[in-house]
């Protein structure tokens, strides 16, 4: 049965029942709570989320360490972030995401340099506090211009009870620089989401509470921050351009291309603008409560959402900013008209299925709609219930919604719904390409980007067209097809 041309609520429910039938009864009942259907005019979503994955079932989630090191702290460019533990967590110890930054590596920026304490068996037995202190000394000797250090704990640190907070306090006093201990051991929580929360809490406790701003900042009525944008492929720069064009001043940008000084200056903002709600809403809520700074989630994917977000942001300021916003929207309209005229005829009616972390399963939906495409299924790797509530107004009735979808489920859903494009992560990419499905990697834009902003929409449209209409798909066939 293919649902490619008849995605009604009833047909989608039949598909869900068919796919879940492969599980034992207990697993089937558990997974049924995590898969649902978008109902007409629904303001609530009954998909269950933020619970542990079923042991033995392949999940695409990351861990708390990945959430802290790979997302929140890692992109801060003028600090060194120690992966404290065995080198086995090698991806985040030796490599990183495409968090673009401006600077000279090893002088004022360390975004592409990675540091690990490389725990060995003797460190597990005797403890690693002395080794950590030595690593910090070596970093300070080798890179005296570094502005701060964070300690990103891997699993063994919490298991053996090392006191990284004491090391951080002592060494910070000794070298005169902030040292931030982050208890983000991978076993904590159910996914990388808790790592985001823990990282936010360390910013609150070790930066806002303990650090003195290194430079006095003269404030203006138009000071804003960009929070939760990791500058994948230059996204934060695209967002910043638009905010500055409407007359706002961005005083801090986290954490892509961000600095420790910007973290320290954030409480002086008039408004905090959050791109990735899931990873940074905790610190925004804290600043609202403690410093009385309002915050707003914005979406700069696709012209419809860009215009809506610019207007909502401008409404928080005076008439001048609101007039500027309208002028900027009008300025870019000819560009948008040209992009849509070029690509919509090639993409209109094409169907896409999404499965990503963070905000993209909802934020990119209208960017596809702007090109005439239809999103038939979407879901998150590590969402909470409020993420799904925020998804309902983007998706139409009958859309398949899935949380922490298993590899088996996702393959079956794609097989039955038969989308023209799958947009997900690197772990899924080659599976679906082998199935003969066009694919775009939506964690880091398949080494393209940016996708934010008006210029980014041009790149987004080109990339979707390039994936779907590539003639290679007429020349290849899955061996089992």
């Amino acid at each position: 049965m293919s649902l490619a041309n008849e995605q009604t609520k009833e047909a989608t429910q039949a598909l869900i029942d068919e796919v879940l039938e492969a599980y034992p009864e207990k697993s089937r009942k558990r997974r049924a709570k995590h898969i649902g259907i978008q109902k007409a005019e629904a303001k609530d979503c009954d998909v269950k989320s933020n619970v542990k994955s079923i042991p033995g079932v392949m999940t695409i989630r990351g861990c708390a360490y990945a959430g802290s090191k790979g997302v929140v702290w890692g992109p801060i460019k003028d600090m060194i972030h120690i992966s404290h533990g065995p080198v086995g967590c090698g991806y985040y110890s030796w490599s990183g995401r495409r968090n673009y930054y401006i600077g000279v590596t090893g002088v004022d920026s360390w975004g592409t340099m990675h540091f690990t304490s490389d725990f060995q068996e003797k460190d597990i037995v005797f403890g690693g506090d002395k080794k950590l202190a030595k690593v910090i000394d070596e970093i300070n000797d080798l890179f005296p211009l570094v502005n701060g250090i964070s300690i990103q704990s891997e699993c063994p640190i919490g298991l053996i009870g090392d006191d990284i907070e004491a090391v951080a306090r002592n060494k910070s006093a000794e070298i005169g620089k902030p040292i931030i201990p982050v208890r983000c051991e991978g076993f904590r929580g159910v996914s990388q989401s808790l790592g985001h929360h823990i990282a936010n809490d360390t910013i609150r406790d070790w930066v806002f509470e303990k650090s003195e701003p290194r430079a006095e900042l003269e404030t203006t009525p138009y000071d804003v921050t960009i929070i939760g944008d990791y500058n994948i492929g230059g996204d934060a720069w695209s967002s910043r351009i638009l905010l500055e064009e409407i007359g706002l001043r961005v005083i801090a940008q986290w954490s892509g291309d961000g600095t420790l000084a910007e973290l320290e200056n954030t409480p002086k903002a008039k408004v905090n603008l959050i791109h990735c709600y899931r990873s940074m809403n905790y610190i925004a809520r804290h600043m609202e409560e403690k410093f009385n700074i309002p915050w707003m989630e914005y979406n700069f994917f696709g012209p419809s959402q860009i215009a809506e977000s610019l207007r909502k942001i401008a409404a928080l300021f005076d008439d001048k900013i609101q007039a500027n916003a309208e002028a900027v929207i009008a300025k870019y309209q000819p560009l948008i008209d040209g992009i849509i005229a070029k690509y919509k005829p090639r993409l209109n009616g094409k169907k896409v299925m999404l499965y990503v972390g963070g905000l993209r399963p909802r934020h990119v939906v209208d960017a596809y709609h702007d090109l005439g495409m239809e999103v038939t299924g979407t879901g998150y790797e590590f969402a909470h219930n409020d993420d799904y509530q925020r998804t309902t107004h983007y998706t139409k009735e009958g859309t398949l919604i899935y949380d922490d979808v298993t590899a088996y489920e996702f393959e079956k859903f794609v097989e039955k719904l038969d989308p023209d494009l799958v947009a997900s992560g690197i772990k899924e990419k080659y599976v679906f390409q082998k199935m003969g499905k066009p694919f775009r990697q939506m964690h880091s834009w398949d080494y393209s980007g940016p996708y934010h902003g008006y210029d980014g929409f041009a790149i987004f449209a080109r990339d979707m067209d390039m994936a779907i209409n590539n003639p290679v798909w007429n020349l290849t066939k899955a061996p089992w097809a």
Side-chain angles (χ1 to χ4, degrees):
M1 175 182 74
S2 173
L3 299 183
N5 297 314
E6 48 168 346
Q7 193 178 1
T8 63
K9 288 187 296 183
E10 293 75 19
T12 305
Q13 186 59 57
L15 169 61
I16 295 171
D17 294 340
E18 178 186 344
V19 171
L20 294 182
E21 191 62 35
Y23 290 134
E25 183 179 1
K26 186 175 180 180
S27 296
R28 183 165 62 248
K29 288 181 177 179
R30 286 185 61 183
R31 284 301 303 157
K33 298 175 183 177
H34 295 265
I35 304 173
I37 306 166
Q38 176 65 50
K39 300 175 179 64
E41 304 301 326
K43 295 183 180 179
D44 295 321
C45 180
D46 56 3
V47 170
K48 194 172 181 63
S49 61
N50 197 36
V51 298
K52 290 183 179 180
S53 303
I54 298 174
V57 175
M58 183 62 73
T59 180
I60 301 163
R61 286 172 165 175
C63 67
Y65 162 77
S68 177
K69 171 63 165 68
V71 178
V72 178
W73 277 106
I76 300 293
K77 65 183 181 180
D78 65 340
M79 297 178 66
I80 284 175
H81 310 285
I82 303 169
S83 290
H84 186 37
V87 76
C89 298
Y91 180 81
Y92 288 108
S93 297
W94 287 0
S95 184
R97 301 164 79 201
R98 297 173 60 244
N99 308 111
Y100 285 3
Y101 65 89
I102 297 170
V104 179
T105 298
V107 177
D108 60 0
S109 302
W110 286 267
T112 54
M113 298 180 72
H114 296 267
F115 301 79
T116 176
S117 53
D118 189 22
F119 256 46
Q120 303 297 314
E121 185 177 353
K122 62 181 176 62
D123 301 310
I124 303 294
V125 174
F126 297 107
D129 287 347
K130 291 182 180 179
K131 185 171 194 175
L132 176 60
K134 184 177 180 181
V135 168
I136 293 170
D137 286 338
E138 289 179 353
I139 286 172
N140 196 49
D141 289 341
L142 290 169
F143 304 104
L145 298 180
V146 70
N147 285 330
I149 297 169
S150 80
I151 303 163
Q152 305 290 323
S153 298
E154 298 172 21
C155 285
I157 307 308
L159 295 174
I160 65 177
D162 275 5
D163 192 351
I164 62 171
E165 289 83 5
V167 175
R169 283 191 294 268
N170 293 337
K171 281 295 168 184
S172 180
E174 187 177 315
I175 69 175
K177 297 175 182 178
I179 300 178
I180 317 297
V182 190
R183 286 283 181 185
C184 57
E185 292 89 353
F187 59 76
R188 296 181 183 274
V190 301
S191 70
Q192 58 262 56
S193 178
L194 185 62
H196 305 150
H197 198 161
I198 292 168
N200 280 215
D201 288 350
T202 57
I203 293 171
R204 177 195 67 200
D205 297 339
W206 292 78
V207 177
F208 290 172
E209 299 296 332
K210 295 190 178 184
S211 294
E212 289 294 329
R214 52 210 61 235
E216 189 62 32
L217 179 73
E218 292 187 11
T219 61
T220 76
Y222 304 119
D223 292 344
V224 298
T225 65
I226 295 174
I227 296 181
D229 193 320
Y230 305 102
N231 208 32
I232 305 297
D235 279 338
W237 295 334
S238 295
S239 297
R240 188 169 187 144
I241 287 169
L242 290 177
L243 294 173
E244 291 176 346
E245 276 198 82
I246 69 171
L248 301 177
R249 186 175 78 146
V250 179
I251 64 169
Q253 179 178 302
W254 336 343
S255 50
D257 196 35
T259 64
L260 181 58
E262 289 176 82
L263 292 181
E264 294 167 344
N265 284 329
T266 300
K268 298 181 179 180
K270 299 299 185 291
V271 178
N272 286 322
L273 301 174
I274 303 182
H275 182 61
C276 183
Y277 170 85
R278 181 73 276 133
S279 63
M280 288 289 193
N281 76 89
Y282 317 101
I283 196 67
R285 293 176 190 278
H286 168 73
M287 285 189 277
E288 183 177 44
E289 293 171 4
K290 180 159 186 178
F291 304 112
N292 200 31
I293 304 173
W295 61 274
M296 191 195 98
E297 182 183 15
Y298 71 97
N299 180 355
F300 279 175
F301 284 107
S304 297
Q305 286 299 320
I306 295 171
E308 182 176 332
S309 289
L310 283 176
R311 289 182 173 121
K312 285 182 178 178
I313 293 167
L316 300 173
F317 296 90
D318 57 26
D319 291 345
K320 181 182 81 169
I321 300 298
Q322 294 174 39
N324 289 348
E326 295 300 328
V328 167
I329 293 168
K331 169 188 171 182
Y332 286 100
Q333 193 58 48
L335 171 66
I336 295 306
D337 292 342
I339 295 167
I340 291 176
K342 179 177 181 179
Y343 291 106
K344 190 169 183 177
R346 298 172 58 82
L347 297 171
N348 195 47
K350 300 295 185 182
K351 294 178 171 58
V352 60
M353 288 183 69
L354 304 169
Y355 181 55
V356 208
L359 55 100
R360 291 164 187 159
R362 65 178 181 272
H363 271 199
V364 299
V365 170
D366 276 350
Y368 285 110
H369 289 168
D370 289 334
L371 295 170
M373 300 176 70
E374 179 184 347
V375 174
T376 59
T378 190
Y380 299 82
E381 295 173 15
F382 50 82
H384 295 204
N385 288 345
D386 51 353
D387 291 296
Y388 285 103
Q389 308 309 328
R390 290 166 181 266
T391 305
T392 55
H393 75 279
Y394 288 101
T395 51
K396 68 178 183 63
E397 182 180 14
T399 303
L400 179 63
I401 309 291
Y402 32 78
D403 175 71
D404 187 28
V405 71
T406 68
Y408 164 76
E409 292 163 4
F410 200 21
E411 288 177 36
K412 282 297 182 183
F413 288 149
V414 169
E415 177 187 326
K416 298 296 184 179
L417 289 174
D418 193 27
D420 300 287
L421 176 73
V422 179
S424 189
I426 190 66
K427 297 173 186 173
E428 302 83 72
K429 177 177 180 176
Y430 302 105
V431 172
F432 292 113
Q433 286 185 336
K434 289 175 182 177
M435 290 172 65
K437 287 292 177 188
F439 188 96
R440 285 304 298 182
Q441 205 269 76
M442 294 297 283
H443 285 290
S444 59
W445 309 151
D446 250 334
Y447 318 104
S448 182
Y451 283 177
H452 292 187
Y454 291 109
D455 292 340
F457 180 65
I459 299 170
F460 173 83
R462 179 203 67 187
D463 287 356
M464 299 310 125
D465 174 56
M466 184 169 58
I468 291 175
N469 294 309
N470 192 319
V472 71
W473 303 115
N474 298 321
L475 305 174
T476 185
K477 189 176 182 181
W480 55 86

